[in-house]
Amino acid sequence: MSYPIESIIQCIGARRIGSREAAIDWLLTDSRSLSFPEETLFFALTTKRNTGARYIPELCARGVTNFVLSEDDYKKLKEKNSPELNFLVVRDPLKALQKLAELHREKFRIPVIGITGSNGKTIVKEWLHQLLSPDRFIVRSPRSYNSQVGVPLSVWQLGEEAELGIFEAGISEMGEMSALQRMIKPTIGILTNIGGAHQENFFSLQEKCMEKLSLFKNCDVIIYDGDNELISNCVLKSMLGAREIAWSRTDIERPLYISKVTKAEDHTTVAYRYLDMDNSFQIPFVDDASIENALNCLAACLYLMTPAEQITERMARLEPVAMRLEVKEGKNACVLINDSYNSDLVSLDIALDFLVRRSEKKGLKRTLILSDILETGQSTATLYRRVAQLVQSRGIDKLIGVGAEISSCEARFEGLSERYFFPNTEALLASDLLKRLHSEAILLKGSRVFNFDLLSEALELKVHETILEVNLAR
């Protein structure tokens, strides 16, 4: 969704220096993650250790022409008199970023799920995506983008095709949730649990719980564990006025009553009653945290009127959520980056960013093995035009495309010196191409149905490490 620069100036109350015409599609806070320079607006954020303004000269050289920065940073710039650049001067670039996300969110009259809690936010978000995406186009936070910076970047991903938003909100001190609430504006709230994470900045668990519940101001419904005395008391004290779906294993009068939980060796069966109807489902997990996460997902699905038989079918197929990119030692002096648990344009951008950094550190060529990207709501031509732009902007040396759709768009990737396309994963495995990969950083990025785990097994040695990919979480 594109915004003329004039609309953004009005929204954030900026003083403009420069008159270059521009339409903004992408927001950037990390100069290393640049993909589409001409359509990007860079926010020069200041932290305790660094300031984004120091990267403006580099970004100018790479084609970025639009910047949001503070008055002090603008005065220090050597490039400030360039007629080819737009500088939007504001009092606080972070607050300007958040204000822009608020304006963007206002344009959408769709259900939006806001998830907060001490643990389980990302898993509940990803499981809800697995459970609900067959029926609707969903925009969700990339990985754990749940902080004061991560949330506006997540909300900005909402586009005209969006039918449901799912966003995480993480805080580490009092007063932080207010800004996140204004950006997310959830209609459905899920509080996963309350624990000791970031407790050092709160007087008590109750204070933390009350702060987290403030995300649900103006929600239509709140979902939480009705057996948790702390959460139940805080919900009562908050007087939010929303409908409550408080699930319970002990109180049959609760809206969602969990009548029985039975653990087997490799799965758990849950029986429940909702609106006087009895049903059950299985999940392929036995740990208590997964059961709790599944119950929060169950409540959200029921509220969104997902049929019980579909819930049962999809719960049985829930997959573990990879919280980190796996970086493994590959054969033939390669490094293997496995991010094959999901595939969409936003997560591809993030993973490519990681690939670039890893390859630079090791001095390796960059290889991307990419499957068809499914259920995006975009036309095939539009989607793979964007993919081709991303791939070329990241300096990918070799592309291996897997699937009928990406193969049909081979011409989009003519700018790459090496490109190969296969109709399916089996065809790639049957070729000798994987054996010819040498001294390369290889990113595996595939939709689940393509079974890229088979490629990982073919490429990797058995010793591996796991590396965190992005720290935008709280």
Side-chain angles (χ1 to χ4, degrees), residues 72-305:
D72 288 344
D73 284 335
Y74 175 70
K75 290 176 181 178
K76 298 173 187 175
L77 274 182
K78 294 180 181 178
E79 298 83 2
K80 58 187 175 183
N81 295 320
S82 172
E84 295 300 312
L85 304 177
N86 287 321
F87 294 105
L88 311 188
V89 181
V90 297
R91 180 174 297 179
D92 185 333
L94 175 58
K95 289 184 178 178
L97 172 65
Q98 294 174 341
K99 184 67 177 177
L100 183 56
E102 289 179 39
L103 171 75
H104 186 62
R105 169 67 182 89
E106 285 286 351
K107 295 184 178 295
F108 298 90
R109 297 292 182 263
I110 60 174
V112 171
I113 301 174
I115 306 171
T116 191
S118 298
N119 302 104
K121 296 184 292 294
T122 300
I123 293 175
V124 169
K125 178 199 69 187
E126 292 298 327
W127 280 2
L128 281 172
H129 183 262
Q130 292 181 36
L131 292 165
L132 296 170
S133 61
D135 308 315
R136 46 179 67 80
F137 182 77
I138 298 174
V139 173
R140 68 196 192 281
S141 307
R143 296 194 175 272
S144 299
Y145 277 36
N146 59 32
S147 68
Q148 300 292 315
V149 176
V151 166
L153 296 179
S154 298
V155 171
W156 185 257
Q157 301 302 322
L158 285 169
E160 294 175 354
E161 70 280 0
E163 297 174 298
L164 174 68
I166 310 177
F167 302 111
E168 299 179 43
I171 58 170
S172 59
E173 60 186 54
M174 286 294 294
E176 286 189 328
M177 191 60 85
S178 177
L180 303 187
Q181 190 278 331
R182 291 194 300 271
M183 290 182 282
I184 297 174
K185 286 194 175 173
T187 59
I188 302 166
I190 300 177
L191 180 60
T192 57
N193 54 51
I194 297 294
H198 303 294
Q199 187 57 41
E200 65 273 12
N201 295 322
F202 295 93
F203 178 74
S204 63
L205 285 176
Q206 183 184 54
E207 183 181 66
K208 181 196 291 183
C209 186
M210 294 296 291
E211 176 71 9
K212 288 182 180 291
L213 284 170
S214 66
L215 174 65
F216 306 142
K217 174 185 175 184
N218 301 323
C219 267
D220 297 327
V221 64
I222 307 171
I223 294 165
Y224 64 94
D225 177 1
D227 294 334
N228 186 305
E229 185 176 357
L230 170 64
I231 294 176
S232 294
N233 288 339
C234 287
V235 170
L236 183 63
K237 185 177 179 181
S238 296
M239 296 186 294
L240 293 169
R243 174 185 170 187
E244 298 174 19
I245 301 182
W247 53 266
S248 173
R249 304 186 195 190
T250 60
D251 186 354
I252 196 171
E253 298 301 321
R254 288 290 193 177
L256 176 55
Y257 174 55
I258 311 304
S259 55
K260 192 174 184 180
V261 175
T262 307
K263 294 184 181 182
E265 184 176 343
D266 60 354
H267 67 273
T268 300
T269 302
V270 177
Y272 66 93
R273 173 173 290 184
Y274 181 72
L275 299 180
D276 295 324
M277 297 290 292
D278 291 311
N279 286 287
S280 65
F281 64 87
Q282 288 186 357
I283 56 171
F285 308 95
V286 295
D287 60 288
D288 290 339
S290 292
I291 295 169
E292 181 179 70
N293 291 332
L295 293 177
N296 283 315
C297 291
L298 170 67
C301 290
L302 291 169
Y303 177 74
L304 289 169
M305 295 187 290

Side-chain angles (χ1 to χ4, degrees), residues 65 122 263 338 391:
T65 58
T122 300
K263 294 184 181 182
N338 189 1
V391 168

Side-chain angles (χ1 to χ4, degrees), residues 352-465:
L352 285 174
D353 180 55
F354 186 84
L355 172 64
V356 169
R357 300 185 200 188
R358 192 72 180 189
S359 64
E360 288 176 345
K361 184 184 295 186
K362 298 284 187 178
L364 301 172
K365 292 184 293 184
R366 300 166 189 165
T367 296
L368 170 63
I369 304 180
L370 178 66
S371 78
D372 287 348
I373 301 176
L374 307 176
E375 299 172 351
T376 66
Q378 301 182 48
S379 70
T380 299
T382 300
L383 173 63
Y384 289 102
R385 176 177 58 83
R386 281 291 195 183
V387 171
Q389 289 173 328
L390 269 179
V391 168
Q392 293 180 43
S393 71
R394 297 296 191 174
I396 300 302
D397 299 297
K398 183 183 298 178
L399 171 68
I400 302 173
V402 179
E405 289 189 1
I406 192 171
S407 297
S408 71
C409 296
E410 180 178 355
R412 298 278 182 186
F413 300 93
E414 287 181 349
L416 296 177
S417 57
E418 286 193 75
R419 57 191 187 277
Y420 308 88
F421 295 89
F422 298 87
N424 50 52
T425 304
E426 291 73 21
L428 172 55
L429 288 167
S431 74
D432 66 346
L433 182 58
L434 297 183
K435 297 176 183 178
R436 292 189 275 122
L437 302 180
H438 196 286
S439 301
E440 302 173 32
I442 305 168
L443 171 62
L444 286 174
K445 191 72 176 141
S447 301
R448 289 185 184 87
V449 295
F450 285 88
N451 297 318
F452 269 22
D453 287 345
L454 298 175
L455 299 181
S456 180
E457 291 174 9
L459 290 166
E460 73 180 79
L461 295 177
K462 297 306 177 185
V463 179
H464 72 275
E465 56 172 332

